[in-house]
Amino acid sequence: MAKEQEFYWRRLHSLLGLIPIGLFLTVHLFINFSATKGAETFNKFSEGMESLPFLGIIEWVVIYIPLLFHAIYGVYIAFTAKPNLNRFGTTRNWFFVLQRFTGIFLVIFIAWHIWQTRLQKTIADATIDYNLMSDVVTSTGMLIFYIVGIIAATFHLSNGLWSFLVSWGITQSPKSQKVVTWITMIIFVLLSVVGVMAILAFRG
Ligand code: HEM
């Protein structure tokens, strides 16, 4: 791939990771968190989402197309990019590796999650509600798989925010990059708490 062309693909990949995918993930976790207030509250939110006009188009434009591009190009990056041991410290290089591992794991997790929820609506006319998710996480194995998936996603998004700010030249000095490492790790912990509390709420 020509260098200049690759630069623009990378920028697009980076931008889509944050907007709309990252934004969607955040909203998704907060809506799921409503399950901590009981099945009825969650179902109200879920019904509200389901009744949005042009839902099919919104789903494709905001979620599936950006996610497909980000995931396919992300797999390519994950298998070709090398960590920069000279420029960044050891922690950052570990995060670099984790970003790639979580990305690959997310391909499997998200595919499985879409199959268990959205595709059941299409092929089996299932209603996506509290009971559906409750059935999904009845088994301990599946609950653990979801918890690992949620934490992988929140890490990938939070650490991705760090690398987004570097890629776009917003945080350039080593000091600002260090401060943002802390900020993004706090975001990681907070989002993980929201996501894990939400999934546990589906166990009743
Ligand atoms: C929950 C879904 C996902 C979200 C919210 C998300 C978000 C992000 C964000 C915000 C970035 C930072 C962009 C940057 O480095 O400038 C990023 C980077 C990355 N994502 Fe994702 N992503 C998701 C799924 C995936 C999947 C399924 C893959 C597949 C492997 C993937 C692979 C990557 C890779 C390799 C990078 C690093 C790019 C680089 O360092 O240049 N992501 N992601």
Side-chain angles (χ1 to χ4, degrees):
M1 207 187 296
K3 273 266 171 277
E4 196 182 328
Q5 226 177 343
E6 182 156 344
F7 173 84
Y8 289 111
W9 286 123
R10 284 293 278 259
R11 280 292 159 101
L12 182 63
H13 178 261
S14 166
L15 185 65
L16 292 178
L18 203 62
I19 305 163
I21 309 171
L23 208 60
F24 167 74
L25 173 64
T26 309
V27 172
H28 189 33
L29 293 180
F30 275 94
I31 288 180
N32 294 351
F33 188 77
S34 69
T36 59
K37 301 271 178 291
E40 242 176 64
T41 314
F42 175 78
N43 286 344
K44 234 181 256 164
F45 271 106
S46 175
E47 272 166 33
M49 299 283 287
E50 296 287 314
S51 60
L52 282 177
F54 309 110
L55 183 63
I57 298 172
I58 296 174
E59 281 179 330
W60 277 98
V61 173
V62 177
I63 310 169
Y64 303 135
I65 295 173
L67 187 58
L68 270 174
F69 173 79
H70 185 90
I72 293 168
Y73 197 58
V75 170
Y76 164 76
I77 294 173
F79 285 106
T80 53
K82 291 180 183 64
N84 187 337
L85 287 161
N86 298 324
R87 196 168 146 218
F88 299 114
T90 333
T91 313
R92 287 282 17 136
N93 275 295
W94 273 112
F95 283 9
F96 178 95
V97 173
L98 267 179
Q99 185 74 7
R100 276 139 190 81
F101 265 111
T102 50
I104 303 287
F105 179 73
L106 284 172
V107 175
I108 301 161
F109 174 70
I110 295 171
W112 186 251
H113 176 54
I114 293 177
W115 162 254
Q116 283 188 314
T117 54
R118 187 60 184 81
L119 281 178
Q120 294 310 310
K121 183 174 129 181
T122 310
I123 56 177
D125 210 15
T127 310
I128 303 177
D129 60 5
Y130 182 92
N131 286 342
L132 183 131
M133 269 321 290
S134 186
D135 287 346
V136 163
V137 292
T138 308
S139 82
T140 310
M142 201 39 82
L143 178 68
I144 293 170
F145 181 60
Y146 264 81
I147 292 176
V148 175
I150 290 162
I151 293 174
T154 53
F155 176 83
H156 190 90
L157 171 59
S158 313
N159 187 53
L161 175 62
W162 183 90
S163 70
F164 172 89
L165 294 171
V166 175
S167 318
W168 290 76
I170 298 164
T171 44
Q172 295 188 6
S173 71
K175 185 161 182 231
S176 64
Q177 290 176 0
K178 222 176 225 168
V179 172
V180 173
T181 295
W182 282 104
I183 296 174
T184 50
M185 284 308 105
I186 291 169
I187 295 175
F188 163 58
V189 172
L190 294 179
L191 275 182
S192 300
V193 170
V194 170
V196 172
M197 277 179 77
I199 199 70
L200 291 176
F202 289 101
R203 294 272 280 202

